[in-house]
Amino acid sequence: MLRALWTLGFVCLGGGLIGACSGPAPESTGPSSEARSDARHYHVQLRLTEEKARATETLGRATRWWREQSPADRPPLVQKARSSETPVTIAWKAPFYRVRLGPFATEPQAEAVLDAARSAFPDAFVAPSRPDAAP
């Protein structure tokens, strides 16, 4: 009797483990990736620093730089995003301050801004993020 219970327990446990380790879940039948194009926002990250004073200095330079750009060279910001009120923001996530331009709706928009900003901010890069995620 004890051996039968042990075997039954092993079979149940093994079946549970096999089911849990059977590989990735199948693709969802939800909207395609094209329909979810708004699932990401894109920022141009200009500086990453632990020093608030350096982040603030970069914020000022970036704000001046943005205002000097022709309106035709400034893609629209994503509306209703947390940082959509101003094109240049400082986001803090321990231990760094991130100075960023955006958010932009598409990666090509962010890449165009990066190309224009590269001479003034040589270490800049495009940083994707989820709209509901912290920076």
Side-chain angles (χ1 to χ4, degrees), residues 62-123:
T63 301
R64 285 188 299 279
W65 177 87
W66 182 259
R67 288 182 187 148
E68 292 171 358
Q69 302 308 301
S70 152
D73 294 333
R74 296 185 298 199
L77 300 177
V78 173
Q79 296 304 307
K80 298 184 182 175
R82 280 187 273 180
S83 60
S84 66
E85 300 81 35
T86 180
V88 187
T89 57
I90 296 176
W92 185 80
K93 184 175 179 184
F96 297 108
Y97 293 93
R98 292 159 174 80
V99 183
R100 307 184 310 175
L101 285 166
F104 303 104
T106 68
E107 189 171 10
Q109 288 175 327
E111 290 286 346
V113 172
L114 174 63
D115 288 344
R118 183 76 36 105
S119 62
F121 303 95
D123 295 329

Side-chain angles (χ1 to χ4, degrees), residues 12-26:
C12 290
L13 178 63
L17 288 176
I18 291 170
C21 299
S22 62

Side-chain angles (χ1 to χ4, degrees), residues 7-55:
T7 303
L8 179 61
F10 179 76
V11 169
C12 290
L13 178 63
L17 288 176
I18 291 170
C21 299
S22 62
E27 290 292 320
S28 71
T29 58
S32 69
S33 61
E34 287 117 20
R36 293 182 307 212
S37 63
D38 62 340
R40 287 193 182 270
H41 291 163
Y42 297 88
H43 290 85
V44 175
Q45 187 156 304
L46 304 174
R47 171 163 267 172
L48 181 69
T49 180
E50 293 182 27
E51 299 173 30
K52 188 174 184 177
R54 291 185 79 187

